[in-house]
């Protein structure tokens, strides 16, 4: 799996938007960009994924750069419940389902 | 629609005993993955199974660890002769194709 680079930690105030960056300069044409998060003492949770176009769902938005070498996960209004480690992961879509390779992720702190 | 179920949630074993961790995937999901998270470390892939088949076991330790996903029943991760270094959280995930849905994990403590 191609490598991703994320900041170790970020802070946000509650009710404000949060932009979590991810660099993946070696991404291949068949890699999807996936985001998962892990809340304290819980299993990881799927957030969103995309290939080329920006994506929105009820949890977040994913903005993908035109050259696909970077992406940004956007939480529109952070809450205390969004405090978690966020992982940006690349997965090849040409085969069948495959493993997730987790990096160190970004630890998001949300304060009042 | 129930999520991924794992049991037990907490398991304590003495060194040398066997640990059996169970995972029931979401209804209709035929892909099961096991991951391990050592204390203060990241999640590491262990094994990927489909019904009755091991697809990718590249992350499994060579000895003492085995996994199965029988035609009927849950997936089982088995650790024989546990050692203190096996103490970790073990997460199971299931999927249909792209997204993986994780269970709450089994926290294994070896004393």
């Amino acid at each position: 799996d191609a490598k991703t680079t994320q900041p170790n930690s970020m802070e946000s105030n509650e009710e404000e938007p949060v932009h979590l960056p991810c660099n993946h300069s070696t991404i291949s044409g068949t890699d999807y960009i996936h985001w998962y998060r892990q809340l304290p003492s819980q299993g990881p949770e799927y957030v969103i994924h995309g290939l080329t176009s920006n994506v929105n769902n009820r949890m977040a938005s994913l903005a993908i750069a035109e050259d696909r070498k970077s992406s940004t996960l956007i939480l529109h209004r952070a809450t205390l419940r969004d405090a978690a480690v966020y992982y940006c992961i690349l997965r090849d879509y040409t085969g069948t389902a495959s493993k997730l390779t987790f990096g160190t992720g970004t630890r998001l702190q949300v304060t009042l | 629609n129930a999520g991924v179920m794992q049991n037990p949630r907490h398991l304590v074993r003495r060194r040398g005993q066997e640990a059996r961790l169970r995972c029931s995937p979401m209804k209709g999901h035929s892909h099961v993955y096991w991951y391990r998270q050592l204390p203060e470390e990241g999640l590491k892939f262990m094994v990927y199974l489909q019904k009755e088949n091991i697809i990718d076991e590249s992350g499994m330790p060579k000895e003492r660890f085995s996994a199965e996903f029988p035609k009927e029943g849950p997936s089982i991760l088995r650790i024989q002769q546990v050692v203190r270094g096996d103490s970790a959280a073990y997460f199971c995930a299931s999927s249909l194709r792209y997204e993986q849905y994780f269970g709450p994990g089994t926290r294994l403590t070896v004393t």
Side-chain angles (χ1 to χ4, degrees), chain A residues 66-96:
Chain A
E66 198 169 329
D67 64 3
R68 300 208 327 124
K69 293 185 177 182
S70 65
S71 60
T72 302
L73 179 71
I74 302 165
L75 307 179
H76 296 285
R77 288 178 64 200
T79 69
L80 295 177
R81 198 197 170 278
D82 292 319
V85 179
Y86 287 78
Y87 298 97
C88 170
I89 300 168
L90 302 182
R91 292 181 75 199
D92 190 324
Y93 71 78
T94 55
T96 55

Side-chain angles (χ1 to χ4, degrees), chain B residues 2-45:
Chain B
V4 177
M5 311 279 282
Q6 288 190 251
N7 66 81
R9 296 290 306 276
H10 299 274
L11 181 62
V12 179
R13 284 287 177 266
R14 292 199 187 98
R15 279 180 297 171
Q17 290 185 320
E18 179 179 287
R20 279 183 181 245
L21 288 61
R22 294 174 186 77
C23 169
S24 296
M26 287 180 71
K27 188 176 180 181
H29 286 193
S30 57
H31 305 272
V32 166
Y33 307 79
W34 286 93
Y35 296 84
R36 177 166 68 172
Q37 189 167 32
L38 293 166
E40 306 304 321
E41 292 191 19
L43 286 142
K44 302 293 184 189
F45 165 78

Side-chain angles (χ1 to χ4, degrees), chain A residues 36 38 41 44 91 97-98 100, chain B residues 33 35 37 48 98 100 102:
Chain A
Y36 284 76
Q38 186 175 23
S41 301
R91 292 181 75 199
S98 61
L100 294 170
Chain B
Y33 307 79
Y35 296 84
Q37 189 167 32
Y48 161 36
Y98 292 121
Q100 291 187 13
F102 284 78

Side-chain angles (χ1 to χ4, degrees), chain B residues 44-109:
Chain B
K44 302 293 184 189
F45 165 78
M46 299 182 75
V47 62
Y48 161 36
L49 310 104
Q50 291 182 23
K51 285 287 187 181
E52 299 186 279
N53 288 303
I54 297 174
I55 307 302
D56 180 357
E57 57 181 345
S58 58
M60 286 281 268
K62 296 287 182 237
E63 298 177 346
R64 302 186 298 107
F65 285 72
S66 62
E68 62 176 12
F69 188 17
K71 189 176 179 181
E72 302 290 338
S75 175
I76 307 286
L77 179 68
R78 182 183 177 205
I79 311 171
Q80 294 178 290
Q81 299 176 322
V82 296
V83 301
R84 289 217 171 107
D86 297 331
S87 294
Y90 292 82
F91 294 99
C92 163
S94 72
S95 75
L96 273 176
R97 192 168 180 202
Y98 292 121
E99 306 98 79
Q100 291 187 13
Y101 296 90
F102 284 78
T106 293
R107 277 151 183 84
L108 172 65
T109 302

